[in-house]
Amino acid sequence: MIGFIGYGNMGGALVRAFLSHGIPADEIVISTRSPEKLKSLLDEYSVSVGSMNEVQSADILFLCVRSSDALDVLKQLTSFKGHLVSINGGISLNDLSSIYSGPVTKAMPPLTAEVGRGIVLLCHNQICSTSKKIEELFSKVCSVEILPEDKFPDAENITGCAPAFFARFAEMLAESSNFSSEESLKMAKETLIATALLLDKSKLSLNDLIEKVATKGGITEKGLQVMDDELPSTVKKMYEHMH
């Protein structure tokens, strides 16, 4: 049995990812303070909705609450004996292991796991004898990267945050056009999707793709020159604010 405490953006994405990649609905139980969020899920899948006590019988339990609430919630899991998986970036393995003495995994899954792509970052505590089971579970929905915990922040800037950055840049491109908001956003979104698919299907490197689009002396090359001049300092500033 796989249990979930919390059903926010990431918890919801994980549940849907597991369900759409072969995990039976009757093997999932969810406890949430906002059961109304489960309506659309329950319209599609017959997952169980349980209390905090009921989810503690799970073999694997995902802690998907806010970081500010995570340790207080963990203290309430007095009968849980399985493998704990925390998706709270601000909570360390040491903090979790100081409260729960069993196997613990810290996981940073991407929102894109819901569509079966992206990279989940994992690290396990030292008594994690069931780590392979967790890695196999996540590998059903996305790629798995095992990293030391101190490497998580830099990696998450790319694996976790980048979808929002890509989306915001697409919005900016759309806003700079002379088309209506609806038309320009449609073009930007479709181009973003098509670019990702092209990179995946063709196996082009990022630089190969740039060279194919940016012909010598063309408008793309001129735009890239501005990006090369202006964006490195902006990205550096972004990273500084994110740490």
Side-chain angles (χ1 to χ4, degrees), residues 199 203-215 224 228:
L199 285 167
K203 306 304 180 183
L204 290 170
S205 69
L206 294 175
N207 192 61
D208 288 340
L209 178 59
I210 290 170
E211 290 183 351
K212 282 182 175 292
V213 178
T215 55
L224 285 169
D228 290 342

Side-chain angles (χ1 to χ4, degrees), residues 3-225:
F4 286 82
I5 298 179
Y7 192 77
N9 290 335
M10 188 54 65
L14 276 178
V15 170
R16 288 187 173 277
F18 290 142
L19 288 168
S20 62
H21 288 81
I23 302 299
D26 61 6
E27 291 184 12
I28 291 179
V29 57
I30 303 168
S31 175
T32 175
R33 292 185 299 184
S34 305
E36 66 276 4
K37 292 182 178 180
L38 294 172
K39 184 180 184 309
S40 62
L41 179 71
L42 294 174
D43 287 342
E44 297 180 60
Y45 300 100
S46 56
V47 299
S48 298
V49 181
S51 66
M52 280 279 288
N53 284 334
E54 290 170 319
V55 296
Q56 293 188 60
S57 62
D59 302 302
I60 300 170
L61 183 57
F62 284 83
L63 188 60
C64 304
V65 299
R66 294 176 181 175
S67 293
S68 57
D69 298 329
L71 297 182
D72 286 338
V73 171
L74 184 55
K75 290 174 183 177
Q76 299 175 44
L77 304 181
T78 55
S79 63
F80 177 61
K81 303 297 182 184
H83 193 129
L84 179 72
V85 181
S86 169
I87 64 168
N88 305 98
I91 307 296
S92 70
L93 276 178
N94 282 340
D95 289 338
L96 296 163
S97 297
S98 69
I99 297 172
Y100 180 62
S101 60
V104 179
T105 293
K106 182 173 177 177
M108 291 288 102
L111 190 64
T112 54
E114 188 170 350
V115 294
R117 296 303 299 263
I119 295 175
V120 59
L121 309 176
L122 298 180
C123 62
H124 312 288
N125 68 356
Q126 293 182 348
I127 60 169
C128 204
S129 60
T130 49
S131 60
K132 291 299 181 184
K133 187 174 182 179
I134 303 301
E135 292 164 20
E136 289 171 2
L137 177 62
F138 272 110
S139 68
K140 294 178 183 293
V141 298
C142 55
S143 298
V144 172
E145 189 76 25
I146 311 298
L147 288 178
E149 189 175 9
D150 62 358
K151 299 293 185 183
F152 268 40
D154 281 341
E156 193 184 3
N157 288 345
I158 301 172
T159 62
C161 302
F165 300 153
F166 296 152
R168 178 56 57 82
F169 185 71
E171 277 189 337
M172 290 179 177
L173 285 176
E175 290 166 359
S176 67
S177 77
N178 293 318
F179 292 95
S180 69
S181 176
E182 183 178 352
E183 290 176 311
S184 57
L185 285 172
K186 177 182 177 181
M187 286 189 282
K189 180 180 176 180
E190 181 60 26
T191 302
L192 179 64
I193 294 168
T195 302
L197 289 172
L198 178 62
L199 285 167
D200 185 49
K201 300 295 183 182
S202 67
K203 306 304 180 183
L204 290 170
S205 69
L206 294 175
N207 192 61
D208 288 340
L209 178 59
I210 290 170
E211 290 183 351
K212 282 182 175 292
V213 178
T215 55
K216 193 69 175 176
I219 59 171
T220 305
E221 186 180 62
K222 293 177 181 178
L224 285 169
Q225 186 59 60

